[in-house]
Amino acid sequence: MEAYKREFIEFMVGSDVLKFGDFTLKSGRKSPFFMNAGAYVTGEQLHRLGLYYAQAINDAFGLDFDVVFGPAYKGIPLAVVTAIALQELYGKEVRYCCNRKEAKDHGADAGNLLGAELRDGDRVVMVEDVTTSGKSIDETYPILKAAADVDVKGLIVSLNRMEVGKGGEVTAQKEIEQRYGFPVASIVSMAEVRDYLHGRDVGGRVVIDDATSAAIDAYYEQYGAAE
């Protein structure tokens, strides 16, 4: 596993973004882990988060694109920090764009997008925190295509939860790939997280002990899907 992926896993735990225990998800599933990207709140955290996204984008899709797009709301700061990080790490100048939940009806930036104006031929990479159902992509992909004849190069998320999507057979990420025809990648997968953290001391405690590892196995026996 690449060094930045190992760092990112410890970063999620240290930022209280990825937690292990007993959680009831919005879907009603009982899960032994929970991710809340809203816990990234400081300048240092956001700076590092952008750097991890930029490295993962470079690994998954390369740097031959023009725009980073983040679906509202959590995708907005992700798009901004990722654009900054791409310039910092690779000298790659890209524009950022996001959607609004409610279109603005006045001013020079009226409409349902904020940030850069999309142009025909723009190559776009989308950024999200995590994809569980693909709902935000279903909402924003038509907005992108209506704004301009853009080419979506791919979607990057921070964590692949590796759970079955709405169809009940493959992951939500695979469902998006099948539905829209562009690749979906993640900084890390839950398999990588479990393998790296099992028995490892992070911040003075073992985050995934044998019992937690067994609970994760049991969860994936019921809800898991291949990456």
Side-chain angles (χ1 to χ4, degrees), residues 15 38 58 71 78-79 81 115 136 144 206 211:
S15 301
N58 184 43
L78 287 180
V81 298
S136 66
L144 277 175
V206 173

Side-chain angles (χ1 to χ4, degrees), residues 44-55:
E44 170 65 15
Q45 288 172 335
L46 292 168
H47 176 240
R48 289 183 63 184
L49 184 62
L51 295 175
Y52 294 129
Y53 266 89
Q55 290 174 89

